[in-house]
């Protein structure tokens, strides 16, 4: 099972790199709101790159300090994406920015909450709600062309299932090694589906 996990993980890295390269090539033809998709995937690529580089290049084996930055950045960029698509007030975006910044200050400065997974679950639930609300509006408004509808649906699917997997994982007191790698592999498969939706969407984009 560990070998399967590694194979899926490296597939994910290859897909993520492909999304970044193709997205960068298509960046000029994206409108203001669509560019936020590339910013989100670029941030994720940056975090994954640090997770790989720090242990192998700088001999820093513990990269857990990146986790709060990942949670805050993911929350700010994805909620910001859907807030813009829903045409909500910029004040809502400012509130989201304050919440993300406040979390990082609280975690890095005072180690609160002690378990950052709580913030991760809350963040994902908010993303699920916003992406679901956006999907409903996009499906109803058929007169407006939305080139990233597949990506929006994939984001909703990914975070919905990921939260479920995350909660189940933490409800099981003792996981065997195979169970642990099975859960990680399932989450990585979801990531692969999300990256493939980005690849397909970027590939089809035209001026």
């Amino acid at each position: 099972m560990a070998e399967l996990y590694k194979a899926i993980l490296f597939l994910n890295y290859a897909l993520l790199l492909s999304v970044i390269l193709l997205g960068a090539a298509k960046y000029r033809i994206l409108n203001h709101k669509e560019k936020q998709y590339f910013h989100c995937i670029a941030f994720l690529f940056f975090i994954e790159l640090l997770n790989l580089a720090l242990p192998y290049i700088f001999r820093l084996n513990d990269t857990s300090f990146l986790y709060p930055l990942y949670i805050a950045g993911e929350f700010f960029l994805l909620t910001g994406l859907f807030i813009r698509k829903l045409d909500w007030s910029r004040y809502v975006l400012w509130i989201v920015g304050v919440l993300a910044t406040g979390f990082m200050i609280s975690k890095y400065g005072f180690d609160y909450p002690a378990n950052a997974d709580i913030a991760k679950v809350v963040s994902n639930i908010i993303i699920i709600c916003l992406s679901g609300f956006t999907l409903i509006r996009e499906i109803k408004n058929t007169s407006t062309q939305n080139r990233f509808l597949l990506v929006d649906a994939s984001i909703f699917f990914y975070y919905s299932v990921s939260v479920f997997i995350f909660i189940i994982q933490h409800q099981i007191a003792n996981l065997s090694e195979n169970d642990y790698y099975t859960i990680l592999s399932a989450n990585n498969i979801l990531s692969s589906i999300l990256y493939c939706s980005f690849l397909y969407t970027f590939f089809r984009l035209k001026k």
Side-chain angles (χ1 to χ4, degrees), residues 1 3 17 23 32 53 57 64-65 68 78 80 82 98 112-113 128 137 158 164 195 198:
M1 188 56 69
E3 294 302 320
L17 179 60
H32 176 67
I57 298 177
S64 59
F65 67 92
L78 281 176
F82 293 116
V98 169
Y112 181 83
I128 291 167
R137 199 183 76 163
Y158 170 77
F164 176 75
Y195 298 154
F198 271 97

Side-chain angles (χ1 to χ4, degrees), residues 74-91:
E74 176 191 55
F75 173 72
F76 176 72
L77 289 171
L78 281 176
T79 53
L81 166 67
F82 293 116
I83 286 169
R84 289 185 177 93
K85 293 196 74 172
L86 292 168
D87 296 318
W88 287 359
S89 169
R90 291 183 65 87
Y91 290 111

Side-chain angles (χ1 to χ4, degrees), residues 3 5 61 63 71 81 87 99 118 123 128 152 159 205:
E3 294 302 320
Y5 163 72
N61 293 323
T63 59
I71 295 172
L81 166 67
D87 296 318
L99 287 174
I118 298 173
S123 168
I128 291 167
D152 290 344
Y159 283 94
L205 285 181

Side-chain angles (χ1 to χ4, degrees), residues 18-199:
S18 300
V19 171
I20 286 295
L21 295 176
L22 186 56
K26 299 279 188 171
Y27 188 78
R28 290 185 178 182
I29 65 175
L30 300 176
N31 62 40
H32 176 67
K33 293 179 181 178
E34 291 172 342
K35 287 179 179 178
Q36 188 73 8
Y37 287 99
F38 181 78
H39 299 158
C40 292
I41 207 72
F43 172 77
L44 182 58
F45 177 77
F46 172 71
I47 293 294
E48 293 290 354
L49 187 62
L50 284 179
N51 270 320
L52 284 174
L54 292 178
Y56 292 103
I57 298 177
F58 299 101
R59 305 298 180 184
L60 186 62
N61 293 323
D62 184 9
T63 59
S64 59
F65 67 92
L66 292 173
Y67 192 42
L69 174 63
Y70 163 68
I71 295 172
E74 176 191 55
F75 173 72
F76 176 72
L77 289 171
L78 281 176
T79 53
L81 166 67
F82 293 116
I83 286 169
R84 289 185 177 93
K85 293 196 74 172
L86 292 168
D87 296 318
W88 287 359
S89 169
R90 291 183 65 87
Y91 290 111
V92 181
L93 189 59
W94 277 101
I95 292 172
V96 167
V98 169
L99 287 174
T101 305
F103 166 71
M104 284 196 296
I105 293 173
S106 175
K107 185 59 183 175
Y108 285 122
F110 307 98
D111 194 25
Y112 181 83
N115 185 1
D117 289 342
I118 298 173
K120 173 65 174 172
V121 171
V122 173
S123 168
N124 282 12
I125 290 174
I126 294 173
I127 292 170
I128 291 167
C129 293
L130 286 175
S131 60
F133 188 65
T134 303
L135 269 176
I136 292 172
R137 199 183 76 163
E138 289 171 345
I139 292 171
K140 286 183 176 180
N141 191 8
T142 55
S143 60
T144 303
Q145 182 186 17
N146 178 20
R147 303 192 293 182
F148 281 80
L149 180 62
L150 177 62
V151 174
D152 290 344
S154 297
I155 290 174
F156 176 77
F157 174 73
Y158 170 77
Y159 283 94
S160 297
V161 180
S162 289
V163 165
F164 176 75
I165 292 175
F166 194 81
I167 293 174
I168 291 297
Q169 175 185 343
H170 283 72
Q171 291 298 316
I172 302 174
N174 297 309
L175 284 173
S176 67
E177 183 178 347
N178 278 342
D179 289 339
Y180 177 73
Y181 281 117
T182 298
I183 290 174
L184 289 180
S185 297
N187 194 66
N188 284 336
I189 289 172
L190 292 174
S191 297
S192 297
I193 294 172
L194 178 61
Y195 298 154
C196 285
S197 72
F198 271 97
L199 275 175

